[in-house]
Amino acid sequence: MKFYLILLIIFQSVIIFPQKIGVVLSGGGASGFAHIGVLKALEEKQIPIDYITGTSAGALIGALYASGYSPKEIEAYVLSKRFQLMTQGSLENNQQFFFLEDENDASIFSIPFAKDSTLLKSLPTNFISSVLLDFEMMRILGTVSASKNDDFNQLFVPFRCVASDIEHKKSINFDKGKLNLVVRASMTYPFFISPIQIDGKLLFDGGLYNNFPVELMYQDFDVDYIIGSNVTSNATKPSEDNLISQITNMLVSHSNFSLPCDYGIIIEPKATLGTFDFENVKKAIDEGYFSTLKMIDSINIHVVRKENPTDLEKKRSIFKNSITTLRISRINTTSKKDKDVSFVRNSISKNKKGVILSEKKLIKRYFRTANFEQVDNLYPSLVKNDSTYNMDIYVKKTKEFKLDVGGHFSSRPINTGYIGLSYLSVKKNAIKVKAESYFGRFYGSIKTTIDFTIPNYYPITFSPYLTMNRWDFFRSSATFFEDVKPSFLVQNEMYYGLKIKNPIGNKGKNTFDVRLFELNDSYYQTSSFSSKDTADLTKFVGTNLSWTMEFNTLNKKQFANAGNMFLLKFRFVDGIERSISGSTSLLKYDTRKHHQWIQLNSEFQTFPISIKHFHFGIHGKAIVNSQSLFSNYTATLLNTTEFAPLPDLYSFFLTEYRAPQHAGVGINFILSPIKNIDFRLDSYYYQPFKQLIVLDDGSFSYSKLFKGETFLHALSAIYHSPIGPLRATFNYFPKQINPISFQISYGYVLFNERAIR
């Protein structure tokens, strides 16, 4: 009789009163990815999941499961390269837009600010960019939400999540809305990624006030049995000597990690990852999986209903087929105070009737637009429109002004400071006005540029500019502790013109440049001169026309160890030279000459091997031109482009690496035993096609073909700090009297573009 009574109870619970199982997922940063393993084990053991709630990391995992993704699909996604880039605030290679990258400068850090900013308003609110994160949330969750009328009860599994309203110090529960936005809000860890606004409320990580939303499960759903997955705990008692513990207790409320009813169980995977240790989430997933398997027998005592795997996959397939494919028929843009940001909309889509953006085209245009410096972030959401979607984008503009600070500080006497100030605006067009200056004994420069960009799928930028450079070379490779001999060569140049730039795909750009220039060189043609001597003078005034095609995916603006670069440049120079001899010149002269030449310059760099601890690169440069001889040997050299594959070569005046036609190729061996630390050996062979030489009678001419070949080498140890490279370098130039030079330096050896060289 007792046996039949038990069967009757089971029959009633399964057939008449089917059990409803709810799963609650805690927060916990990277450790929260143990929830994936929990869900995987529950499905394997046929435990049904009827409702799901989550916060922070639990909100993300729960939302993915509620959107029809299987635990295996979720695991594959979080282990993918795209997801790892997302957690680092980076973009995939095909999402970067080389066209928008500035000409490399020596800036080390930037401070954005608005015209009405105080210091507090200028402080950053996020450590990483969320551009890829926000798009991915829209792509994988936004389509599901819009297809189901933004009702979380209509998802594959009914879902709830929480976020934190820090103004009113309370949790906000979500049962409807834009799923991608509310999940993004729920996992907005303070200071790591920027907060977002929903319904006028600035929202942060749900774990601040409710790190285990079990009450939400009990209140919102008719649940019979609750399975909790918890990987976190309340903050420890604050210590008088521990600032972090004090701040944590001020910001975070204690959560209740117990069940509000007797029917349930809590699984506690021991995933002890750091909050942002997303590279090792596989450990957390496995821990969640095996921790759940250990609890299955205890769960089976109470959960008698089973979910047939075949039936589950069939239901999942039906649900996924009900989701409309991501295709965009219209884009709407808004910004703070509804300011005009039509540039963003028109860069992605002109909203022409009948024109539909596929996901592939959307990704390309969206990230091109997000890369604009005038755009701080884009927050997209979707609205269902028959068989397509309308996309609403909230545009967060960059602060109007940006201050760049940097330079290069060395044990050699070539220290140079850098400062730049930019004004940024985006409305119907994108505008950037930048003034920058280098200052130091060796190099000084002033440059102003205006970039005016017209919105299009392939934007065009018009850039008028003015540049003044001064180079002061002295015959020394001295350190701080040596006397530096007087200057023997000073170059002043001023040029202004207009550049027209347009992209070639996402990795390249064309630049057409027309400029007027004036060069003034002062130099001695002998090392034996005194302060009473007068220098030779050469003035060269003319026009420069050029076209440059460049492709670049190098991972650093200097000392790269991965990526590729190719440059091809055609230049036409036309000008008038006037040269006047000084007191040390062997020949007295006052000459005027007309010069006209064409020049073809090419460069490439590639890293065919780039793995975690070793990188191997090949780097080559070549130049040919029809340059005519100036009035003397030194004047001709000064207007000749040098072979400078190593940054330090720009700080020396070495005649053996200057020739009107030359080529060189080298290899880069890089060992990276620890993240951000490189040991480099850069070794190059240099071959002039024809070289400028001084004859026995004091005159000068070109040498025979293929004479003057030489080598150059550099051995460096570099620490790529968050605020610029710190390095120690031995350079070897074999034809110098002292062929080995050593320096310790910090910063970038970068300068403004030369006028014609």
Side-chain angles (χ1 to χ4, degrees), residues 541-578:
V541 180
T543 305
N544 173 92
L545 303 175
S546 68
W547 165 74
T548 305
M549 177 177 65
E550 183 176 4
F551 297 88
N552 197 327
T553 61
L554 294 177
N555 64 337
K556 295 178 176 63
K557 64 181 178 181
Q558 202 159 64
F559 313 115
N561 58 23
N564 302 282
M565 182 272 291
F566 174 76
L567 178 144
L568 183 66
K569 185 166 189 173
F570 174 83
R571 186 196 300 272
F572 172 75
V573 178
D574 181 88
I576 301 295
E577 170 209 355
R578 184 183 181 187

Side-chain angles (χ1 to χ4, degrees), residues 379-395:
Y379 299 101
S381 59
L382 300 174
V383 177
K384 186 75 163 50
N385 180 24
D386 296 327
S387 61
T388 62
Y389 297 96
N390 292 342
M391 176 183 282
D392 296 329
I393 303 177
Y394 176 80
V395 181

Side-chain angles (χ1 to χ4, degrees), residues 210-262:
N210 187 355
N211 216 9
F212 191 61
V214 67
E215 299 90 350
L216 184 58
M217 170 68 71
Y218 195 69
Q219 293 168 6
D220 275 31
F221 298 118
D222 185 18
V223 63
D224 298 303
Y225 190 81
I226 296 175
I227 301 173
S229 176
N230 177 37
V231 296
T232 188
S233 60
N234 286 316
T236 57
K237 185 178 179 180
S239 166
E240 60 181 278
D241 298 321
N242 190 328
L243 177 62
I244 299 300
S245 72
Q246 296 169 17
I247 295 174
T248 301
N249 276 270
M250 283 189 284
L251 293 176
V252 179
S253 298
H254 282 210
S255 298
N256 183 3
F257 294 104
S258 61
L259 297 177
C261 61
D262 295 331

Side-chain angles (χ1 to χ4, degrees), residues 97-109:
F97 199 20
F98 175 64
F99 169 72
L100 296 176
E101 293 187 14
D102 276 342
E103 294 176 4
N104 286 335
D105 58 44
S107 61
I108 293 173
F109 63 90

Side-chain angles (χ1 to χ4, degrees), residues 654-683:
L654 304 180
T655 59
E656 65 265 37
Y657 299 114
R658 287 176 175 256
Q661 298 183 21
H662 64 252
V665 65
I667 53 178
N668 318 112
F669 288 100
I670 306 169
L671 296 177
S672 305
I674 304 174
K675 185 177 181 181
N676 295 325
I677 292 182
D678 289 344
F679 294 96
R680 296 182 65 111
L681 173 62
D682 301 295
S683 185

Side-chain angles (χ1 to χ4, degrees), residues 414-634:
I414 55 171
N415 298 288
T416 306
Y418 171 85
I419 189 168
L421 180 64
S422 301
Y423 167 75
L424 304 164
S425 174
V426 57
K427 294 181 180 179
K428 292 182 178 179
N429 301 289
I431 298 173
K432 177 180 179 179
V433 181
K434 184 174 183 179
E436 54 190 316
S437 176
Y438 291 83
F439 44 92
R441 177 183 174 180
F442 165 66
Y443 175 66
S445 179
I446 295 175
K447 180 181 178 181
T448 57
T449 309
I450 301 173
D451 291 336
F452 183 85
T453 304
I454 300 172
N456 207 334
Y457 313 143
Y458 293 93
I460 299 176
T461 298
F462 297 88
S463 301
Y465 59 87
L466 168 67
T467 304
M468 291 184 286
N469 290 324
R470 176 182 172 85
W471 301 80
D472 191 343
F473 293 91
F474 21 85
R475 286 196 183 280
S476 177
S477 57
T479 67
F480 283 130
F481 309 106
E482 298 180 66
D483 292 329
V484 179
K485 295 181 180 180
S487 303
F488 74 100
L489 190 162
V490 177
Q491 294 181 284
N492 288 282
E493 57 184 30
M494 186 272 289
Y495 61 90
Y496 57 92
L498 174 69
K499 291 183 179 180
I500 302 174
K501 298 178 284 188
N502 69 284
I504 308 174
N506 275 22
K507 300 177 182 179
K509 64 180 176 181
N510 276 315
T511 303
F512 299 90
D513 186 354
V514 55
R515 66 178 57 161
L516 302 176
F517 64 84
E518 178 179 316
L519 313 182
N520 289 281
D521 297 333
S522 172
Y523 50 91
Y524 294 95
Q525 297 192 63
T526 175
S527 58
S528 302
F529 61 90
S530 68
S531 58
K532 296 181 180 180
D533 287 315
T534 58
D536 290 48
L537 301 174
T538 295
K539 182 177 182 179
F540 188 39
V541 180
T543 305
N544 173 92
L545 303 175
S546 68
W547 165 74
T548 305
M549 177 177 65
E550 183 176 4
F551 297 88
N552 197 327
T553 61
L554 294 177
N555 64 337
K556 295 178 176 63
K557 64 181 178 181
Q558 202 159 64
F559 313 115
N561 58 23
N564 302 282
M565 182 272 291
F566 174 76
L567 178 144
L568 183 66
K569 185 166 189 173
F570 174 83
R571 186 196 300 272
F572 172 75
V573 178
D574 181 88
I576 301 295
E577 170 209 355
R578 184 183 181 187
S579 291
I580 302 174
S581 60
S583 61
T584 62
S585 178
L586 296 177
L587 301 173
K588 301 301 178 184
Y589 59 86
D590 183 346
T591 59
R592 294 176 184 268
K593 282 189 175 183
H594 176 245
H595 297 278
Q596 191 176 83
W597 71 81
I598 58 174
Q599 174 182 300
L600 184 63
N601 183 23
S602 64
E603 181 178 2
F604 78 92
Q605 186 168 20
T606 183
F607 289 88
I609 300 175
S610 183
I611 55 180
K612 187 173 183 179
H613 297 299
F614 177 70
H615 312 271
F616 172 74
I618 304 172
H619 186 194
K621 303 181 77 170
I623 184 170
V624 293
N625 69 31
S626 59
Q627 179 179 330
S628 52
L629 295 174
F630 278 62
S631 296
N632 61 66
Y633 170 79
T634 304

